[in-house]
Amino acid sequence: MLKIGLIGDIHGNLEALEAVLEYLSTKQKVDKIVVLGDIVGYMANPNECVELVKDYDCIQGNHDSTVVYGEDLDWFNPVAKEALIWTINELTDKNKNILRDFPLTKIYREEDFTISHGTLNSPEKFLYMDRSFEARESFDLMETQLLFIGHTHVPQYFISNGDNSFADIEMVSDIDYKREIQLQKGKKYIFNIGSVGQPRDHNYKSCFVIYDTDRKTIKYVRLPYKVKITARKVKKNRLPKFLYKRILVGM
Ligand SMILES: [Fe+2]
């Protein structure tokens, strides 16, 4: 019997993270907080964000992995790459070691869910999932009823009614924030929980999920935060200008 807050893609956005943690602990009184990776990269407070989440259950995202190992920088677009180089210089060795110790996936058998930053197949490759056919392999590999992912920064979810065939997988992209999703026995679900620190669905508000293991419900939440302060820090720290525009409108 647990109320679990699932958050991810924080990307060094301290104002968003503080607002979300405050909401989950005081308003929702969750029993547990789980972090789905990309704690750093893009915004100006990577150290503070690592220090705030380090005692929760965390997994690595692709940005966390890159700042730790310094590899794959050329995989990123020029804006992300520039912000990652800034982050590598900014992060303390202590916080890099904390990120290094996070696993890529984690299974919670009792609560019947798994977490991964991207797809469950080849989690070390951080593959995106935003179409039904990309969900199929993950459904095949799931040992739990639920899988929570992030990475695209766009909330959506997939439902498999049984055999995980392409035709069997339903994709839902228009999230109803007023309603809870009631989980049904015999079905499997993959929830992309959206992004706390850099949403890309034209809504600047932080996005995350609450899973009630007792009532078997999922709730998507949008929460406003002091986004102008975050944007000003982008300028002050000479991070790429595009990040300033992007954060204000959620793109
Ligand atoms: Fe991300």
Side-chain angles (χ1 to χ4, degrees):
M1 278 181 256
L2 283 176
K3 208 171 174 187
I4 301 167
L6 295 119
I7 66 175
D9 289 290
I10 298 158
H11 285 293
N13 184 337
L14 181 62
E15 292 70 33
L17 178 61
E18 283 179 335
V20 169
L21 292 179
E22 164 84 7
Y23 174 86
L24 287 173
S25 56
T26 60
K27 284 248 166 68
Q28 290 289 335
K29 296 193 168 46
V30 296
D31 302 291
K32 191 180 184 67
I33 291 174
V34 173
V35 184
L36 270 64
D38 273 4
I39 296 150
V40 304
Y42 292 127
M43 298 300 155
N45 291 104
N47 284 306
E48 293 82 353
C49 289
V50 172
E51 283 150 20
L52 270 180
V53 302
K54 67 180 175 18
D55 295 324
Y56 299 128
D57 282 4
C58 298
I59 55 171
Q60 267 180 20
N62 52 320
H63 286 247
D64 308 322
S65 173
T66 297
V67 298
V68 165
Y69 299 107
E71 295 166 354
D72 302 325
L73 272 166
D74 290 330
W75 182 89
F76 292 89
N77 67 57
V79 168
K81 185 176 170 180
E82 193 182 329
L84 275 166
I85 291 168
W86 182 93
T87 303
I88 289 168
N89 290 324
E90 186 75 8
L91 261 187
T92 64
D93 287 345
K94 189 179 169 198
N95 285 333
K96 280 181 190 161
N97 287 334
I98 289 171
L99 291 176
R100 184 179 286 120
D101 285 342
F102 294 148
L104 288 170
T105 61
K106 193 166 168 146
I107 299 183
Y108 299 79
R109 298 209 184 265
E110 205 168 314
E111 295 88 5
D112 211 8
F113 73 96
T114 305
I115 56 173
S116 175
H117 189 66
T119 62
L120 201 52
N121 45 298
S122 309
E124 74 289 354
K125 289 184 183 163
F126 301 106
L127 303 173
Y128 289 101
M129 184 196 303
D130 56 11
R131 289 167 290 185
S132 293
F133 72 89
E134 291 161 336
R136 196 173 155 185
E137 268 192 82
S138 292
F139 272 123
D140 280 339
L141 291 167
M142 283 163 64
E143 296 173 34
T144 54
Q145 187 188 17
L146 311 180
L147 168 67
F148 295 99
I149 62 166
H151 199 23
T152 66
H153 299 205
V154 176
Q156 62 177 175
Y157 59 98
F158 303 85
I159 306 168
S160 170
N161 293 303
D163 66 4
N164 303 342
S165 67
F166 175 61
D168 177 59
I169 296 171
E170 184 189 341
M171 183 174 90
V172 181
S173 298
D174 53 336
I175 305 292
D176 184 348
Y177 296 98
K178 293 191 182 111
R179 283 197 184 170
E180 290 177 333
I181 300 156
Q182 184 67 57
L183 302 171
Q184 292 171 25
K185 272 189 185 163
K187 294 187 179 185
K188 283 191 169 184
Y189 300 82
I190 299 174
F191 293 97
N192 187 318
I193 64 168
S195 168
V196 164
Q198 195 198 67
R200 294 180 191 160
D201 57 342
H202 306 283
N203 179 349
Y204 85 91
K205 294 176 185 172
S206 293
C207 186
F208 52 98
V209 156
I210 296 162
Y211 168 34
D212 189 318
T213 65
D214 192 24
R215 293 169 50 242
K216 285 276 172 195
T217 56
I218 298 290
K219 183 150 176 47
Y220 276 89
V221 182
R222 295 309 285 246
L223 192 74
Y225 69 94
K226 293 173 182 161
V227 66
K228 285 183 185 163
I229 294 178
T230 313
R232 275 204 291 274
K233 287 182 183 173
V234 168
K235 271 193 183 167
K236 201 177 152 203
N237 287 278
R238 298 193 181 155
L239 281 154
K241 280 186 190 133
F242 174 64
L243 295 176
Y244 178 88
K245 281 191 209 161
R246 174 181 229 184
I247 197 80
L248 291 171
V249 294
M251 67 174 187

